[in-house]
Amino acid sequence: MSAGSPVMMSRVNHSEITLLRRALLRWFDRHRRPMPWRDDPQPYKVWISEVMLQQTQVATVMPYFERFIERFPAVADLASADLQDVLAVWQGLGYYSRARNLHKAAAIVMRERGGVLPRVASDWQTVPGIGPYAAGAIASIAFGEAVPAVDGNVVRVFTRLLGIRKDSTKPAVRRALTGHVAAVITPRRAGDFNQAVMELGALVCKPRNPDCKHCPLERWCVASAKGLTTQIPCRPRRKPVPHIDVAACVIRRGDWVLISRRRPDQMLGGLWEFPGGKQEPGETIEETAVREIAEEIGIEIRVTGKLGAIPHAFSHFKMTLHVFECRPVRGRARAVTVDAVKWVAPPDLRNYPFPAADLKILTWLENDHVAS
Ligand code: SF4
């Protein structure tokens, strides 16, 4: 196995595989970044960290992880907590279904497993919110099971290492890659092996400008030898991301502001927000505000000013949130299509979990942002 010849694990040269593992683990031992879940890999901490790390960078996760573990130090604490408290600690981290799934999973672990977390990847895959990648990561890092954990970093490293030019988003290519990782994983240090490949992807084999000169795998890497690092991994062209306009209403009555809670079955379910909704064809955004409040909360409002517009991106669409100051004109606020409504004194708004875009509105209110 040498540079320029495919390192296909079905045709392995065992002594080369041993050298590759050694080189990778030696690099990891020298360059691994300290992380609280890495330095103390208790199963509960590894589980929480892996869920938080889905779609989110390590640096962002770090303070959230510390706060979460301090507030819910063990699975029993998480299971017995109110979901609103879990969402409040998660507030700002995004992808709130992860928090809801963690809460649900903790209850299942207490009820069905006497508080004992699963050990093997196949059992982890039955836990809400855990897919093949997270199952492999937790089982290998916390329990040493020799199973692959293939995330975006691992796909990048292995497609380049092996010179795979097929579409890396295809399930068949993912399956083949998982097989290659399984063939080369170090049984005695399975968790470190998986983390080493991920760390290499994050620090050296980056999407742009991989630092091949300082890569411990360079001598075996097909993409580096053939100058293919800009072409691998291959992905289909991204479709344009749809954009929607949404009205959000800061409805004031005396010293109170009205907020509503999203239904549990909705995106961002369980979180509070300034009520409103999506613009329909043919209406102005002010008309959207009036219609949505009538439909959701059952009251008639008057728009008295615009506070501003907040652009926000989700994974599969972008939105502009148009924020209005409003007064109630007629009717009594009630939960018609939302989960709950509440009149809250502005200083108490921080006690409720809000999505990121609504947190920005909250900051505006705290800073007496002037309506435009
Ligand atoms: S040699 Fe370069 S392309 Fe190959 S794995 Fe290392 S950093 Fe990535």
Side-chain angles (χ1 to χ4, degrees):
M1 200 162 62
S2 61
S5 67
V7 192
M8 290 300 174
M9 303 311 168
S10 53
R11 292 187 261 128
V12 291
N13 171 335
H14 284 286
S15 60
E16 287 293 320
I17 290 283
T18 304
L19 290 175
L20 181 149
R21 287 170 175 160
R22 263 195 217 140
L24 179 67
L25 288 170
R26 205 177 300 131
W27 175 87
F28 183 60
D29 290 341
R30 278 197 206 126
H31 298 279
R32 57 192 283 165
R33 291 169 292 176
M35 298 175 195
W37 52 87
R38 194 175 259 176
D39 303 338
D40 178 20
Q42 295 171 31
Y44 175 69
K45 289 187 176 176
V46 174
W47 173 36
I48 302 300
S49 70
E50 284 302 334
V51 172
M52 286 188 168
L53 287 165
Q54 290 165 16
Q55 321 271 0
T56 313
Q57 302 280 329
V58 169
T60 308
V61 163
M62 213 82 98
Y64 281 92
F65 176 83
E66 302 280 16
R67 275 200 297 274
F68 195 96
I69 293 295
E70 197 183 314
R71 181 75 180 72
F72 313 111
V75 65
D77 305 303
L78 180 57
S80 62
D82 191 299
L83 175 61
Q84 289 290 296
D85 292 338
V86 178
L87 290 171
V89 176
W90 202 272
Q91 182 171 254
L93 195 56
Y95 301 99
Y96 291 86
S97 59
R98 296 180 298 175
R100 286 193 296 276
N101 277 329
L102 271 178
H103 185 247
K104 195 201 292 179
I108 294 172
V109 167
M110 294 308 294
R111 197 171 58 240
E112 297 177 6
R113 305 181 59 94
V116 179
L117 292 171
R119 290 185 69 85
V120 296
S122 54
D123 286 347
W124 272 106
Q125 282 207 49
T126 66
V127 171
I130 298 295
Y133 158 74
I138 300 166
S140 63
I141 297 168
F143 298 102
E145 189 185 6
V147 283
V150 180
D151 71 348
N153 282 325
V154 177
V155 166
R156 191 165 58 254
V157 171
F158 265 74
T159 49
R160 284 174 174 169
L161 179 67
L162 303 174
I164 294 174
R165 293 209 234 179
K166 292 180 183 161
D167 178 354
S168 62
T169 63
K170 293 261 189 269
V173 176
R174 285 278 175 145
R175 274 197 300 279
L177 273 175
T178 304
H180 294 311
V181 179
V184 80
I185 197 167
T186 315
R188 278 185 303 108
R189 293 184 64 185
D192 281 351
F193 179 90
N194 282 334
Q195 291 185 87
V197 184
M198 292 179 220
E199 196 79 330
L200 190 71
L203 300 181
V204 178
C205 192
K206 296 180 183 177
R208 288 196 192 94
N209 303 322
D211 187 6
C212 300
K213 287 273 163 292
H214 296 101
C215 177
L217 306 186
E218 193 200 8
R219 102 180 228 208
W220 297 279
C221 182
V222 175
S224 176
K226 294 190 174 177
L228 295 172
T229 55
T230 54
Q231 293 163 47
I232 300 178
C234 303
R235 290 203 185 86
R237 250 208 206 130
R238 282 206 183 147
K239 291 187 193 136
V241 181
H243 175 271
I244 59 169
D245 287 287
V246 173
C249 299
V250 178
I251 306 170
R252 294 180 191 270
R253 191 188 66 191
D255 290 338
W256 306 87
V257 173
L258 186 67
I259 56 173
S260 61
R261 190 168 62 203
R262 297 177 66 82
R263 293 194 318 273
D265 59 328
Q266 283 181 301
M267 186 183 157
L268 306 173
L271 296 181
W272 293 82
E273 66 181 5
F274 296 94
K278 194 174 136 191
Q279 187 177 32
E280 298 287 352
E283 66 184 7
T284 65
I285 194 69
E286 287 84 357
E287 287 166 348
T288 304
V290 173
R291 175 184 54 75
E292 284 285 343
I293 297 306
E295 288 172 6
E296 289 188 350
I297 316 281
I299 59 171
E300 192 183 320
I301 56 159
R302 184 158 51 85
V303 173
T304 56
K306 187 167 184 184
L307 274 172
I310 300 170
H312 193 73
F314 293 96
S315 57
H316 52 296
F317 69 94
K318 290 181 181 173
M319 75 166 181
T320 301
L321 193 64
H322 302 267
V323 187
F324 295 104
E325 287 269 16
C326 309
R327 298 265 170 221
V329 174
R330 194 171 298 124
R332 184 186 162 88
R334 63 189 198 281
V336 182
T337 60
V338 295
D339 193 42
V341 296
K342 214 166 199 175
W343 289 101
V344 179
D348 295 335
L349 285 169
R350 288 275 172 196
N351 298 331
Y352 296 83
F354 284 94
D358 290 73
L359 282 174
K360 183 145 188 205
I361 302 175
L362 204 46
T363 307
W364 282 356
L365 299 183
E366 287 165 351
N367 296 325
D368 290 329
H369 179 86
V370 179
S372 57

